[in-house]
Amino acid sequence: MGDDKAVDDKYNVEAAEIIANEAQRLPITEAAAVYEQLLALFPTAAKYWKQYVEAHMAVSNDEATKQIFSRCLLNCLQIPLWRCYIRFIRKVNEKKGVEGQEETRKAFDFMLSYIGADIASGPVWMEYIAFLKSLPAQNTQEESQRMTAVRKVYQKAILNPTHHIEQLWKDYENFENSVSRQLAKGLLSEYQPKYNSARAVYRERKKYVDEIDWNMVAVPPSGSYKEEMQWMAWKRLLAFEKGNPQRIDSASSNKRIIFTYEQCLMYMYHYPDIWYDYATWHAKSGSVDAAVKVFQRALKALPDSEMLRYAYAEVEESRGAIQSAKKIYESLLGDGVNATTLAHIQFIRFLRRTEGVEAARKYFLDARKSPNCTYHVYVAYAMMAFCLDKNREIANSVFEAGLKRFMHEPVYILEYADFLTLLNDDRNIRALFERALSSLPPEESVEVWKRFTHFEQTYGDLASMLKVEQRRKEALSRTGEEGASALEGSLQDVVSRYSFMDLWPCSSKDLDHLARQEWLVKNINKKVEKLALPNGPGSTDKVSTGLISNSNVSAKVVYPDTSKMTIYDPRQKSGMENLPSATASGVPAAFSNLSNPIVATVGDGTTNAFDEILKATPPALVAFLASLPAVEGPTPDVDVVLSICLQSDIPAGQTGKSGTYPVQLSGGPAPSTSDLSGSSKAHPIPSASSFKPTRDRQSGKRKDLDGQENDETATVQSQPLPRDAFRIRQIQKARVTTVSKARGATSQTGSASYGSALSGDFSGSTG
């Protein structure tokens, strides 16, 4: 993990951009070291090479400029960098006359031979054509030579699928017509199909090219989505070019494929698979020398890649360059001390193939002395001696020598057992298993026991088979591998004994069932989760889950806090003791029905959020909700609720006047008619703003029975009550006392029947 982070810091593209921008502001004498450091990390970053070379060109340092171009041009096939090169060549040769013109022409040919196939090379072709047209012609012969040179460049240009192919074709038509209309007709008809093919290929090619990020800088693959998408885009473009969609000759097609690979490596420089594909494509095309050169470049780019070294050695060995291949293997071995086990094994095999048995044996004897030598080297050499040299004695000696060193390695034991099986040496196989199991700790002997059991099931008699199985169970029962029931027999043992390869003595359904049972047996005695709930008032009974926990179930399951659960009790009136039985405006106990009983009464510092909802509730809905009776328990009487819904007179608007509201059906004594109506006049329906927090207006505004209020139709909003909770309770007690006295003195018997309550009419009798 630390190495990956160090690589990321080393190839930090953002930091490199900052350094490159700062280097542009420095004089070239100071900036050169900065550029060299940058380009050592990003050797295919054409934009950094371009900045570097332009810094030298700015101070006319021609020699340094040439050296830089010689280092970067062939590895960075990018149009801007190459156009910078041609500008330098033209500048250097502009005052050298005919000789300078010839040098410039050669430079153009050199440039187009490398980047002429680029989809963005149209301007370069046009610049070359313009340069040729500008050359002076002293006589007719020179004029003819110039026209011929221009024609050849045009004809090459229109065969390349570039962004400017249509413009180049138009220019070519004009050029031929300006020279000779008769000759133009034949030439244009000859090249028209070729141009059409190139234009069609350009349209397809552009789809693949547009997917590529040309500003990307080559860094080691990190597995990011963007990098993977770029890798796929390059793979698609390479496959497109290999298909030769333009149906051009093989040489031209191969040249275009090479160009695409070289451009790809500018951005996929650290991808070994791209290097390998490029080299193997050369080898399959018959150019092994070119493949070797690609491998050599690849190892400079990725010196730590063992894969590329083996592939390179393979190519050299396949073409008979044994010494070159041997040097590659020796480079993998290094000084031998830090060589990997795989490098030892592959070098032994290489020596056996190329130099014979004795060379391989000699190297094995040296390799086994290495401190990094593992049992793999012994197994590889022993099996090579047995299979290739047909020498079972040497093979057996090697395995025995290794057993002294690697008795603690179960895998080595199994490999040795396989070898003895090939020899049909059942006696030594049993002896090997017994020796190994006596020295291996039980927790590391599982696979050895399994192989021993399988051997007896296949080649032993019934008694030995059952004996080994029982010994295996006894040994593994102490490790926990087989669970507490390891000593018990199961049907799985029978299936194991009487199966062969992919043949089973039962159906697949039976196998699944047995596997499930085996898993359950292994987990049956694991910890049982129990969820204990507290006892007491308002708590649920104690519950235990009884579920068997297993390795697939997370131990971090979040359960609800059941200690907070309470049984619903309609008699609980939390926070409602101080509320009056009726409110003003003829809405009896409306807020007793609607307010949230969990919120404490006014004065305890808690705001009732439910009352805030009432402010935005339409008055008609509030009136309807207020008309609903109180119910006992969580489930009301459906018939009663439906009767109220059908017979209630719901107000049509906020200010409309309608009949009085029905009495609240509560468990206590019914209020008097004076409490219900207040007067013979119908009160207006209170608006949403009338419903202030109920505990601020518990008593409402109704007519005072002692006649102390002058306006008997005073509304709820006319006289606000004090906010002090203690003062509110004093007013409530005083009014309750007044109401009781009034009831004793008046002749009204304020009774209300159940039926009249449903119909919305109040019946009162006088005596």
Side-chain angles (χ1 to χ4, degrees):
M1 188 69 181
D3 293 340
D4 294 340
K5 186 175 181 182
V7 170
D8 292 341
D9 293 340
K10 181 180 178 182
Y11 291 96
N12 191 322
V13 177
E14 290 77 8
E17 290 289 341
I18 295 172
I19 293 172
N21 291 334
E22 291 176 353
Q24 285 184 304
R25 305 186 188 96
L26 299 174
I28 187 57
T29 54
E30 299 177 15
V34 178
Y35 282 120
E36 289 292 342
Q37 185 180 3
L38 265 180
L39 294 168
L41 289 176
F42 306 102
T44 59
K47 58 182 178 180
Y48 297 152
W49 284 110
K50 184 172 179 289
Q51 288 181 20
Y52 190 15
V53 78
E54 285 178 341
H56 280 292
M57 290 172 61
V59 295
S60 300
N61 193 343
D62 294 347
E63 287 302 319
T65 301
K66 290 178 182 178
Q67 291 180 2
I68 295 171
F69 276 131
S70 67
R71 292 167 57 191
C72 69
L73 280 179
L74 299 184
N75 295 327
C76 300
L77 302 183
Q78 188 205 44
I79 296 295
L81 178 63
W82 279 83
R83 295 194 75 179
C84 180
Y85 161 74
I86 206 65
R87 285 200 308 272
F88 170 72
I89 296 298
R90 296 187 71 170
K91 178 183 177 183
V92 171
N93 295 293
E94 63 182 352
K95 296 181 180 179
K96 294 184 179 180
V98 176
E99 182 182 353
Q101 293 171 359
E102 183 64 20
E103 290 294 327
T104 303
R105 187 184 65 79
K106 290 180 180 179
F108 268 114
D109 287 336
F110 172 72
M111 176 174 64
L112 289 169
S113 68
Y114 280 94
I115 64 165
D118 195 304
I119 197 171
S121 64
V124 179
W125 288 103
M126 292 179 177
E127 183 180 355
Y128 187 23
I129 292 169
F131 168 75
L132 293 176
K133 288 181 178 180
S134 67
L135 295 177
Q138 304 296 332
N139 49 52
T140 306
Q141 183 180 0
E142 291 182 358
E143 178 69 20
S144 177
Q145 291 176 351
R146 186 182 67 178
M147 291 297 104
T148 301
V150 172
R151 180 178 291 110
K152 287 182 179 179
V153 176
Y154 266 126
Q155 290 172 352
K156 290 180 181 179
I158 60 176
L159 295 180
N160 287 288
T162 65
H163 294 311
H164 296 77
I165 188 169
E166 294 183 358
Q167 183 62 44
L168 284 167
W169 175 254
K170 291 179 182 178
D171 294 346
Y172 178 53
E173 284 183 324
N174 295 334
F175 168 76
E176 291 293 1
N177 287 322
S178 66
V179 175
S180 171
R181 287 188 174 273
Q182 293 180 351
L183 183 62
K185 186 175 181 180
L187 290 173
L188 293 176
S189 62
E190 178 186 352
Y191 277 89
Q192 180 79 46
K194 298 178 181 180
Y195 156 71
N196 291 336
S197 176
R199 185 178 61 176
V201 170
Y202 160 72
R203 292 170 182 168
E204 291 297 317
R205 190 185 195 188
K206 186 176 183 297
K207 296 177 183 177
Y208 296 101
V209 171
D210 288 346
E211 296 179 357
I212 294 171
D213 180 9
W214 298 96
N215 294 318
M216 182 178 173
V217 177
V219 296
S222 63
S224 68
Y225 177 77
K226 180 181 178 182
E227 289 177 356
E228 290 177 350
M229 291 299 102
Q230 287 300 298
W231 181 86
M232 292 176 64
W234 278 109
K235 284 285 189 177
R236 285 192 288 265
L237 179 58
L238 286 165
F240 172 76
E241 295 294 356
K242 288 178 182 179
N244 191 9
Q246 203 169 336
R247 300 295 181 264
I248 53 180
D249 59 277
S250 298
S252 300
S253 175
N254 289 345
K255 190 175 180 181
R256 193 169 290 177
I257 294 170
I258 291 171
F259 167 76
T260 307
Y261 265 118
E262 292 291 345
Q263 274 202 327
C264 177
L265 287 171
M266 289 176 59
Y267 306 96
M268 305 282 113
Y269 186 72
H270 298 277
Y271 285 70
D273 62 301
I274 301 295
W275 287 104
Y276 178 75
D277 288 349
Y278 188 19
T280 52
W281 175 82
H282 271 302
K284 291 177 181 178
S285 300
S287 181
V288 180
D289 291 338
V292 168
K293 291 180 180 179
V294 171
F295 274 123
Q296 290 172 349
R297 290 171 56 195
L299 292 178
K300 289 181 181 178
L302 303 169
D304 297 329
S305 176
E306 290 186 29
M307 298 181 292
L308 291 177
R309 289 186 185 274
Y310 286 125
Y312 180 23
E314 191 177 85
V315 171
E316 292 285 21
E317 185 180 351
S318 64
R319 68 170 184 165
I322 304 302
Q323 292 304 313
S324 297
K326 189 174 182 179
K327 288 181 179 178
I328 298 170
Y329 279 109
E330 289 173 346
S331 69
L332 284 164
L333 293 169
D335 56 4
V337 177
N338 297 320
T340 63
T341 298
L342 183 60
H344 286 305
I345 293 171
Q346 297 302 335
F347 191 44
I348 290 173
R349 291 178 175 178
F350 170 76
L351 291 174
R352 172 65 179 77
R353 290 194 305 268
T354 58
E355 298 183 16
V357 176
E358 189 60 29
R361 186 187 69 82
K362 184 178 179 180
Y363 184 78
F364 166 71
L365 294 176
D366 292 337
R368 68 176 186 169
K369 299 175 184 178
S370 171
N372 296 327
C373 180
T374 64
Y375 66 86
H376 304 81
V377 177
Y378 283 80
V379 174
Y381 182 71
M383 295 308 295
M384 185 178 68
F386 176 67
C387 296
L388 299 179
D389 304 335
K390 314 300 181 185
N391 195 328
R392 56 188 292 178
E393 289 77 14
I394 291 179
N396 194 63
S397 299
V398 172
F399 271 118
E400 278 297 323
L403 193 62
K404 298 176 183 177
R405 186 173 175 182
F406 303 110
M407 180 66 83
H408 63 283
E409 293 286 351
V411 179
Y412 183 77
I413 304 300
L414 299 179
E415 291 291 339
Y416 192 7
D418 288 341
F419 166 71
L420 293 175
T421 303
L422 294 175
L423 298 181
N424 197 25
D425 191 352
D426 59 325
R427 186 183 65 178
N428 282 325
I429 292 174
R430 290 188 176 94
L432 172 65
F433 282 131
E434 295 294 350
R435 291 166 63 190
L437 292 171
S438 64
S439 61
L440 283 173
E443 61 272 9
E444 295 182 8
S445 63
V446 177
E447 291 300 322
V448 179
W449 274 114
K450 187 181 296 184
R451 184 68 63 86
F452 192 12
T453 305
H454 179 72
F455 172 78
E456 292 294 350
Q457 289 173 350
T458 307
Y459 304 108
D461 54 27
L462 184 60
S464 63
M465 182 193 314
L466 297 177
K467 182 179 178 181
V468 170
E469 286 183 3
Q470 185 62 26
R471 288 176 59 197
R472 172 178 177 266
K473 290 179 180 180
E474 291 174 356
L476 298 184
S477 64
R478 297 190 295 270
T479 68
E481 290 289 339
E482 297 291 328
S485 61
L487 295 177
E488 300 178 5
S490 71
L491 204 55
Q492 286 276 18
D493 298 334
V494 177
V495 173
S496 177
R497 288 185 211 122
Y498 296 100
S499 61
F500 180 76
M501 297 178 66
D502 59 344
L503 304 177
W504 305 89
C506 58
S507 65
S508 58
K509 184 178 180 181
D510 292 334
L511 279 176
D512 294 339
H513 181 65
L514 289 173
R516 177 64 180 169
Q517 286 182 330
E518 183 182 17
W519 181 87
L520 290 173
V521 168
K522 287 181 179 180
N523 292 274
I524 198 168
N525 289 327
K526 290 191 176 180
K527 182 180 177 182
V528 178
E529 300 268 343
K530 288 187 177 181
L531 182 63
L533 302 178
N535 291 325
S539 65
T540 61
D541 295 335
K542 185 176 293 186
V543 180
S544 63
T545 61
L547 297 177
I548 299 175
S549 64
N550 57 70
S551 58
N552 295 328
V553 179
S554 173
K556 297 182 179 179
V557 176
V558 179
Y559 293 97
D561 186 3
T562 54
S563 63
K564 304 296 182 182
M565 296 172 60
T566 57
I567 299 175
Y568 175 76
D569 187 355
R571 293 172 295 179
Q572 292 177 352
K573 302 278 186 178
S574 176
M576 299 292 288
E577 291 82 358
N578 295 328
L579 293 179
S581 60
T583 57
S585 255
V587 183
F591 297 132
S592 297
N593 290 344
L594 300 179
S595 297
N596 189 348
I598 297 176
V599 181
T601 56
V602 176
D604 62 358
T606 304
T607 303
N608 191 343
F610 189 77
D611 293 326
E612 296 297 324
I613 298 175
L614 288 177
K615 294 181 180 180
T617 305
L621 178 58
V622 174
F624 169 72
L625 295 176
S627 68
L628 295 177
V631 296
E632 296 295 331
T635 306
D637 188 334
V638 178
D639 294 332
V640 174
V641 175
L642 289 177
S643 177
I644 293 174
C645 293
L646 292 173
Q647 300 184 37
S648 294
D649 186 10
I650 305 301
Q654 291 185 354
T655 58
K657 296 183 179 181
S658 64
T660 57
Y661 302 107
V663 168
Q664 177 198 7
L665 298 178
S666 61
S672 64
T673 53
S674 60
D675 293 329
L676 295 172
S677 61
S679 69
S680 59
K681 297 179 181 180
H683 289 135
I685 298 172
S687 63
S689 61
S690 303
F691 289 92
K692 302 297 181 182
T694 61
R695 297 163 186 81
D696 288 349
R697 305 188 181 278
Q698 294 176 10
S699 60
K701 286 295 180 179
R702 63 176 182 262
K703 179 181 177 181
D704 190 280
L705 295 176
D706 295 329
Q708 300 197 0
E709 296 217 6
N710 296 327
D711 185 4
E712 75 177 14
T713 60
T715 62
V716 176
Q717 297 90 341
S718 61
Q719 295 182 7
L721 288 173
R723 294 280 181 177
D724 182 77
F726 181 76
R727 178 60 178 158
I728 290 174
R729 286 195 289 271
Q730 285 184 322
I731 294 174
Q732 291 171 354
K733 291 179 181 179
R735 289 186 175 176
V736 169
T737 303
T738 303
V739 169
S740 299
K741 291 179 179 179
R743 284 176 177 170
T746 184
S747 60
Q748 294 181 344
T749 61
S751 62
S753 68
Y754 187 81
S756 63
L758 293 177
S759 64
D761 298 325
F762 305 117
S763 61
S765 61
T766 59

